[in-house]
């Protein structure tokens, strides 16, 4: 039975699409047939991060409105045979996403034996975000260690618990996981960022992983590859850990401690 995973946040620019790309690629790398859907109608960029922007012919809205078949719109990933991308429309209105249309696409994906359906949600509470959240089984709530980002994530958690199909049917609630991005232990130690403990105390959901502040993310985006493919980078290792924890493995958190430089390094700038 497929699981629908929404990648969501209350605030834009926190790394949702980066996470959706690497999380879905990570599941595929582990042998799971996975599809990632861009729900950000009008502002699509998942196809850019996945490096398939020139291969988009039909999109999510075309399928919903019966202008194309699902298998015409699905784009097979260039690197992974069991990973597919369903891009958003750049030209349609966000209201083109109807609950009935989205449900029909999701059910068809399940019939195609996808194990994981990852939904890259737009920020906040617009139509695409509410639609992705409504059908979710699991949610990765992406936040930065900043007060405004954490506050907005708390609002999204309220929506997930109150306005999902699972809550309407009195089923088990959506499994919620906290994913903390762009974390800098040095800046936390200097009081410029909230600590992991601060954020967990506010949001009170299970922490699934922490990705460090890194220029590697921009490099991967410019190259059109999910950052998890940059194997030796700290961000790639962090996303590998996140996928492993989601699949039930127990892995310690990395990249969360600040190792203060010694006196010699401070005086002479040693590497």
């Amino acid at each position: 039975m497929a699981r629908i995973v929404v990648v969501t946040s209350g605030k834009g620019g926190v790394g949702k699409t980066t996470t959706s790309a690497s999380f879905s690629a990570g599941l595929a790398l582990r042998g799971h047939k996975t599809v990632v859907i861009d729900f950000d109608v009008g502002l699509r960029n998942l196809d850019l991060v996945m490096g398939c922007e020139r291969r988009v012919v039909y999109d999510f809205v075309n399928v919903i409105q019966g202008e194309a078949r699902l298998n015409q719109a699905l784009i097979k990933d260039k690197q992974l045979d069991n990973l597919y991308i369903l891009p958003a429309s750049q030209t349609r209105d966000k209201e083109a996403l109807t609950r009935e249309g989205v449900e029909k696409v999701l059910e068809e994906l399940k019939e195609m034996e996808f194990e994981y359906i990852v939904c890259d949600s737009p920020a906040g509470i617009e139509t695409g975000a509410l639609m992705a959240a409504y059908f979710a089984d699991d949610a990765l709530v992406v936040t930065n260690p900043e007060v405004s980002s954490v506050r907005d994530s708390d609002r999204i958690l309220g929506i997930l618990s109150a306005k999902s199909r699972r809550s309407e049917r009195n089923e088990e609630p959506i499994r919620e996981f906290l994913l903390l991005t762009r974390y800098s232990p040095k800046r936390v130690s200097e009081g410029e960022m909230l600590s992991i403990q601060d954020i967990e105390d506010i949001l009170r959901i299970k922490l699934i992983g922490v990705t460090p502040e890194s220029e590697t993310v921009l490099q991967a985006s410019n190259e059109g590859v999910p950052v998890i493919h940059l194997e030796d980078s700290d961000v790639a290792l962090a996303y590998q850990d996140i996928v492993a924890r989601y699949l039930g493995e127990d892995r310690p958190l990395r990249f969360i401690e600040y190792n203060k430089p010694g006196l010699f390094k401070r005086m002479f700038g040693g590497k």
Side-chain angles (χ1 to χ4, degrees):
M1 187 69 176
R3 288 199 74 83
I4 300 172
V5 186
V6 62
V7 180
T8 187
S9 75
K11 185 174 182 288
V14 299
K16 281 188 312 303
T17 299
T18 295
T19 295
S20 296
S22 284
F23 183 72
S24 56
L27 290 169
L29 282 165
R30 298 290 293 263
H32 299 285
K33 187 178 180 182
T34 304
V35 60
V36 56
I37 306 173
D38 191 344
F39 272 78
D40 200 355
V41 174
L43 292 171
R44 79 177 188 215
N45 56 16
L46 178 66
D47 55 313
L48 291 170
V49 175
M50 302 292 288
C52 63
E53 70 277 8
R54 294 184 180 180
R55 298 163 60 204
V56 176
V57 179
Y58 297 108
D59 56 52
F60 193 13
V61 173
N62 289 141
V63 178
I64 286 175
Q65 298 190 343
E67 298 162 350
R69 297 189 302 277
L70 180 57
N71 61 6
Q72 290 178 302
L74 285 173
I75 300 171
K76 189 174 184 179
D77 185 70
K78 291 182 292 186
Q79 301 187 59
L80 297 166
D81 287 340
N82 54 350
L83 177 61
Y84 292 79
I85 301 98
L86 182 56
S89 170
Q90 278 188 308
T91 58
R92 304 297 182 93
D93 188 88
K94 299 178 190 300
E95 303 306 317
L97 294 180
T98 64
R99 184 173 291 184
E100 296 77 13
V102 171
E103 182 173 24
K104 183 179 179 182
V105 171
L106 293 175
E107 290 303 317
E108 192 171 344
L109 289 168
K110 291 178 182 179
E111 291 172 7
M112 296 170 71
E113 299 185 340
F114 281 99
E115 296 174 74
Y116 293 101
I117 301 169
V118 179
C119 304
D120 182 26
S121 169
I125 55 172
E126 64 175 56
T127 302
L130 294 175
M131 206 71 69
Y134 178 79
F135 290 102
D137 299 310
D138 304 323
L140 300 185
V141 180
V142 183
T143 188
N144 292 155
E146 304 166 0
V147 172
S148 61
S149 180
V150 174
R151 181 188 61 193
D152 290 346
S153 292
D154 190 44
R155 187 181 183 197
I156 287 296
L157 288 170
I159 291 170
L160 287 170
S161 63
K163 296 187 177 180
S164 72
R165 182 167 62 173
R166 283 178 167 266
S167 64
E168 285 183 2
R169 296 178 176 180
N170 293 317
E171 297 175 349
E172 284 188 20
I174 295 173
R175 294 193 307 168
E176 298 166 338
F177 302 98
L178 173 63
L179 198 162
L180 186 56
T181 57
R182 299 175 187 162
Y183 191 77
S184 169
K186 180 177 185 294
R187 293 178 65 189
V188 171
S189 73
E190 294 170 350
E192 296 177 9
M193 284 184 172
L194 296 174
S195 70
I196 292 173
Q197 188 62 57
D198 292 335
I199 296 166
E200 287 186 306
D201 287 346
I202 296 168
L203 297 181
R204 297 189 177 278
I205 61 173
K206 180 180 177 64
L207 179 66
I208 198 171
V210 177
T211 69
E213 198 170 42
S214 173
E215 293 180 1
T216 307
V217 174
L218 180 59
Q219 175 192 340
S221 180
N222 287 339
E223 292 178 7
V225 296
V227 71
I228 198 170
H229 286 307
L230 303 186
E231 295 180 357
D232 295 327
S233 70
D234 49 5
V235 181
L237 294 171
Y239 275 115
Q240 290 169 21
D241 288 348
I242 289 162
V243 172
R245 293 188 196 102
Y246 176 77
L247 294 174
E249 295 180 22
D250 187 16
R251 293 197 180 184
L253 288 172
R254 294 191 270 186
F255 317 115
I256 61 170
E257 301 293 338
Y258 174 49
N259 297 316
K260 191 173 182 180
L263 177 62
F264 182 86
K265 186 172 181 179
R266 294 201 305 272
M267 288 179 65
F268 297 102
K271 293 183 180 179

